[in-house]
Amino acid sequence: MSSFKKLFVVLGRLPLLFGVDSTLKGIFINVNLLDLMRHHTSTSRDYHELYSTENVMPDYVPSFLSLFLWSALLLTITLLLVILICSPIDSILEVYGCLLGFGLLAFSFQCNYGLVNRKEYLQLFHESSKNNATTNENQAATLVSTPSIIISILTQLFIVLSLDQICAVGLRKVCKDLVVRTDIALFISLSFPIFLHAFLDNTSDVYMWSPFISLILPLILLAIHSFSVISTLLSLIIPPVRDIKQHIREMGLDGVLLRVMEKANLVWLLRVFFFTKVSYSILVSKVLRECTSFENLTWSEVCEVFCLLALEVLHNMCETILSVMSMASIISVISGWCLRLIYHIVGAYDEEESLQPAVSGFLFVLLAMQTGITSITNEARLQLLFQNCVLLLVANQHFIQTVAADLLLKASSEDVVVKKHVRPMLPYLLFFSFPFIVVLRLWQYPFRLSWLLAISAFSLELIIKSIMSLSVYTLNMLHSHTQYFQETIEDCIFYVKAVCGSLEFICGIFLFLNGAYIFVFESGGIIRFVMMMIHLYCNIYQTAVKALATYRLRQSAWQKVNHLKAASQEQLDENNDICPICYQEMKEAVVIQCSHVFHKHCLQKWLFIQETCPLCHTDLREDAPAQSNNTQGGLAR
């Protein structure tokens, strides 16, 4: 798709996106009004007045029902608009045509109604010319009605030409053999009050009802066209919805969502929506209205005005979840630029480079929904926005640390140039400076204690991961270039990872308890509860299960290797003094149940992974001499 066509498709869907934003804003306003109504009712009446037998139905019940019905209507409109956004652009243009047709009919009715009820204009004319005795009512009627008739004829002609282009398409789909000139029929119908003005009395009932009569034929034609548009939309929407389960099984839920986003150009649509809404917020800004002139302002005052303007725009961009999603689309772009710059600095190439910016945008939306930023109308919204951005920054640092740790591990295990060692270490300057500078700075401001504890624990995890990566890198370098840790390198790395993993596990438990406190005492919500359960399962339960299994496996390996018998010289000669695992010379070795001989430390490394023989895969957890003998006999044959 060319850039011009993509821009045309995006601009075609943009009004629908603004419609979704307006309906979502109306839903949140209704919710806030409902909360205010309940608060006012609870404070203005006592318990006896609310629940007395004389007042069976409190007066706030009809208000609650009306707000509920209005919110349900707005939700329905929002759902329909979302469906239209995901529809093909041709169908969207046909819907726009129907809406334009109804708008033209409303304008035509207003013109005819003003022509028929021109007595108000006559009265105004008499008041303006009451000092002129020679002017009579007939002259006034002539002066007023003649320009009105000319303007009405030209207006109705323009409306007829537009409606004919709209309705003719629907008529051809329904009645292919139709030969009636719709333009002539529409002009006669819409100009019906003008024709009656010349032949009938201005006070007759037919003349007074002529604006309504003139709409009958255009409404019928427009209804036929609307029916054809709706049937086309249903034929396009129903089959994919009917086969949604099959599509999810084939591509997965994420694949289906990505396909819908690609067809609707949702990413570009959200970006254009963001810049459009930002421009609108600047044009109607209260800060700019109060600032009369920039000529008399100093440089510091101009900077202050622009800072206030930026804060106002950010406050307006957090009104609805759709506006937050548009901000997330821009944040994903900024995140992509930053990641590409960091990848260029550290010399990394990751297949998930294009995925992480999208993850950053999704995480930003998730944090906004979790904190309920759209339901806050005061200055606390900007504070929540700042807190979410800080959390997102720390989360991206966790991702960068993972990439840098892989590069450090690769550099320590291979013989590479010095540049390959230095470049992955550069991000660690940020990993250690951010917690000690930024987090300590945040503690000086009156943020919520629960959030400060959460960001501190999250940053502490980053420090622990960085220390672990640098420690493993140091051990590998000592093992590769010196004589230290030649046989104990695996144990040392395990101890380092165990200590750091335990500290990370403690931080994870603290984050869960802190989130539980926020959920119970500060701000609950289904999204926060779901995120807590995901954190509990993935970061706490799964981590504990894997760590316990690893510890048990290593403990079993240590016990088995320490109780194995040393291999005799004859057994070493049978293997040509070569270890089957490392293919190095064996001067000392151990024998396992199946009579195979290995280096002690090589066998120990293997048993850390699985408790079977590396050659014949005999289960070493069981004492099975018969199986071992059969295996040896088979190998001998």
Side-chain angles (χ1 to χ4, degrees):
M1 183 183 296
S2 62
S3 300
F4 177 77
K5 187 175 181 181
K6 182 182 292 186
L7 180 61
F8 174 75
V9 171
V10 168
L11 293 178
R13 292 188 170 96
L14 189 61
L16 298 175
L17 208 62
F18 272 99
V20 174
D21 185 69
S22 301
T23 53
L24 289 175
K25 189 186 302 182
I27 293 172
F28 288 121
I29 290 175
N30 289 336
V31 172
N32 294 331
L33 289 176
L34 182 59
D35 295 336
L36 291 175
M37 180 191 63
R38 289 176 176 174
H39 177 73
H40 175 73
T41 304
S42 61
T43 55
S44 61
R45 296 185 178 185
D46 56 8
Y47 183 85
H48 177 73
E49 289 178 346
L50 286 175
Y51 298 100
S52 61
T53 56
E54 296 178 357
N55 189 11
V56 178
M57 179 179 291
D59 56 358
Y60 66 84
V61 174
S63 301
F64 171 77
L65 293 177
S66 61
L67 287 175
F68 176 77
L69 293 176
W70 179 247
S71 300
L73 177 62
L74 291 179
L75 283 174
T76 305
I77 295 174
T78 303
L79 180 61
L80 293 176
L81 291 175
V82 171
I83 293 175
L84 281 178
I85 290 174
C86 300
S87 302
I89 188 62
D90 297 335
S91 301
I92 296 176
L93 294 179
E94 290 182 353
V95 173
Y96 287 159
C98 294
L99 297 176
L100 178 62
F102 285 108
L104 291 174
L105 287 183
F107 183 66
S108 173
F109 173 78
Q110 289 295 330
C111 293
N112 289 331
Y113 189 79
L115 178 66
V116 171
N117 297 272
R118 69 185 186 283
K119 294 181 180 180
E120 298 178 358
Y121 299 99
L122 292 173
Q123 184 178 359
L124 294 174
F125 181 82
H126 281 302
E127 292 178 358
S128 63
S129 59
K130 61 182 178 180
N131 296 328
N132 190 358
T134 60
T135 304
N136 54 26
E137 185 176 351
N138 294 330
Q139 293 175 346
T142 303
L143 289 174
V144 175
S145 61
T146 300
S148 300
I149 291 174
I150 295 174
I151 295 175
S152 297
I153 291 176
L154 295 177
T155 303
Q156 300 301 337
L157 180 61
F158 171 75
I159 293 174
V160 165
L161 294 177
S162 301
L163 280 177
D164 180 61
Q165 296 296 324
I166 296 173
C167 298
V169 178
L171 288 176
R172 293 192 190 101
K173 291 181 179 179
V174 178
C175 304
K176 297 181 179 180
D177 299 331
L178 186 65
V179 294
V180 178
R181 293 292 301 271
T182 55
D183 51 355
I184 298 176
L186 286 172
F187 182 76
I188 294 174
S189 177
L190 294 179
S191 304
F192 183 65
I194 302 175
F195 296 149
L196 291 182
H197 178 76
F199 298 103
L200 294 180
D201 186 10
N202 295 341
T203 60
S204 62
D205 294 337
V206 177
Y207 180 72
M208 298 303 295
W209 284 92
S210 59
F212 299 93
I213 299 174
S214 64
L215 295 178
I216 296 177
L217 180 62
L219 282 175
I220 293 174
L221 297 179
L222 197 56
I224 294 174
H225 176 65
S226 302
F227 175 77
S228 64
V229 171
I230 292 174
S231 61
T232 303
L233 276 175
L234 292 178
S235 63
L236 293 174
I237 294 172
I238 291 178
V241 173
R242 187 182 300 166
D243 301 334
I244 187 67
K245 292 183 178 179
Q246 181 179 357
H247 294 326
I248 292 177
R249 286 195 299 266
E250 294 176 355
M251 299 182 293
L253 182 59
D254 54 346
V256 173
L257 292 177
L258 289 175
R259 186 175 180 181
V260 173
M261 291 173 60
E262 183 180 357
K263 284 188 175 182
N265 294 296
L266 189 59
V267 176
W268 283 98
L269 184 58
L270 289 174
R271 293 172 185 172
V272 174
F273 174 78
F274 173 81
F275 289 110
T276 306
K277 189 167 183 179
V278 167
S279 303
Y280 175 77
S281 300
I282 294 174
L283 291 176
V284 299
S285 173
K286 183 179 179 182
V287 176
L288 294 181
R289 288 201 306 267
E290 294 177 354
C291 184
T292 55
S293 176
F294 286 92
E295 298 177 355
N296 301 325
L297 298 179
T298 62
W299 177 251
S300 60
E301 292 176 345
V302 171
C303 295
E304 183 180 358
V305 169
F306 279 103
C307 289
L308 293 176
L309 178 62
L311 293 177
E312 183 183 6
V313 171
L314 289 175
H315 186 277
N316 295 332
M317 291 303 298
C318 297
E319 290 179 341
T320 61
I321 192 63
L322 186 60
S323 300
V324 173
M325 291 174 63
S326 66
M327 292 180 62
S329 65
I330 303 301
I331 288 176
S332 64
V333 174
I334 298 174
S335 177
W337 291 342
C338 296
L339 285 177
R340 282 193 289 271
L341 177 61
I342 294 174
Y343 277 22
H344 179 72
I345 293 174
V346 301
Y349 175 77
D350 191 72
E351 296 180 354
E352 297 182 354
E353 179 182 356
S354 60
L355 180 62
Q356 181 59 26
V359 173
S360 300
F362 176 75
L363 182 59
F364 180 80
V365 175
L366 195 63
L367 288 173
M369 296 174 63
Q370 180 177 332
T371 55
I373 194 173
T374 56
S375 59
I376 300 175
T377 57
N378 53 16
E379 61 276 2
R381 176 183 291 175
L382 295 176
Q383 182 176 341
L384 283 179
L385 180 63
F386 172 77
Q387 293 175 1
N388 294 341
C389 291
V390 173
L391 284 172
L392 184 63
L393 180 61
V394 179
N396 282 327
Q397 289 187 63
H398 277 265
F399 174 77
I400 297 171
Q401 193 277 331
T402 303
V403 176
D406 294 338
L407 292 176
L408 280 179
L409 181 61
K410 182 178 180 181
S412 63
S413 59
E414 297 179 0
D415 188 11
V416 295
V417 295
V418 178
K419 183 175 65 174
K420 295 289 185 178
H421 294 263
V422 176
R423 292 174 66 179
M425 289 185 181
L426 294 178
Y428 285 92
L429 299 176
L430 176 64
F431 300 153
F432 286 103
S433 63
F434 181 84
F436 290 107
I437 297 176
V438 179
V439 176
L440 292 178
R441 184 71 174 172
L442 290 175
W443 275 90
Q444 300 177 6
Y445 292 93
F447 292 106
R448 288 186 296 110
L449 179 62
S450 57
W451 181 79
L452 289 173
L453 292 175
I455 192 65
S456 301
F458 202 29
S459 301
L460 183 60
E461 281 189 350
L462 179 64
I463 296 176
I464 294 171
K465 288 182 179 179
S466 302
I467 293 175
M468 182 181 68
S469 300
L470 293 177
S471 301
V472 173
Y473 167 79
T474 303
L475 291 174
N476 284 331
M477 291 296 293
L478 291 174
H479 173 72
S480 302
H481 298 85
T482 65
Q483 298 297 324
Y484 299 102
F485 308 109
Q486 292 299 319
E487 296 184 359
T488 60
I489 181 66
E490 294 293 333
D491 294 336
C492 293
I493 292 177
F494 171 75
Y495 289 134
V496 170
K497 290 185 177 181
V499 172
C500 295
S502 299
L503 295 176
E504 289 184 41
F505 185 74
I506 294 173
C507 291
I509 294 177
F510 177 79
L511 286 173
F512 175 78
L513 296 177
N514 187 68
Y517 174 83
I518 297 175
F519 176 78
V520 175
F521 297 102
E522 293 184 359
S523 60
I526 185 64
I527 298 179
R528 185 179 294 276
F529 178 77
V530 171
M531 294 304 298
M532 287 173 54
M533 293 300 103
I534 293 176
H535 175 70
L536 177 63
Y537 179 77
C538 297
N539 297 336
I540 297 180
Y541 175 75
Q542 290 290 340
T543 303
V545 170
K546 291 180 180 179
L548 185 60
T550 303
Y551 173 74
R552 288 178 176 176
L553 192 62
R554 295 184 71 92
Q555 187 180 28
S556 176
W558 287 331
Q559 292 177 355
K560 284 183 173 61
V561 171
N562 291 330
H563 289 82
L564 291 177
K565 295 181 179 180
S568 61
Q569 188 61 39
E570 296 179 356
Q571 291 173 326
L572 294 176
D573 295 338
E574 291 178 358
N575 291 273
N576 297 323
D577 296 336
I578 298 298
C579 176
I581 296 178
C582 64
Y583 294 102
Q584 300 296 325
E585 183 181 0
M586 287 191 302
K587 295 182 179 179
E588 294 181 357
V590 292
V591 183
I592 59 177
Q593 291 91 324
C594 55
S595 300
H596 288 135
V597 181
F598 306 95
H599 277 143
K600 183 177 181 180
H601 60 276
C602 292
L603 180 62
Q604 187 177 12
K605 292 179 181 179
W606 175 266
L607 294 179
F608 289 161
I609 303 173
Q610 54 182 344
E611 294 182 309
T612 59
C613 175
L615 294 179
C616 62
H617 302 291
T618 301
D619 192 355
L620 301 181
R621 293 173 299 179
E622 299 177 358
D623 188 9
Q627 183 180 356
S628 300
N629 294 334
N630 293 336
T631 305
Q632 286 293 322
L635 292 174
R637 289 193 295 269

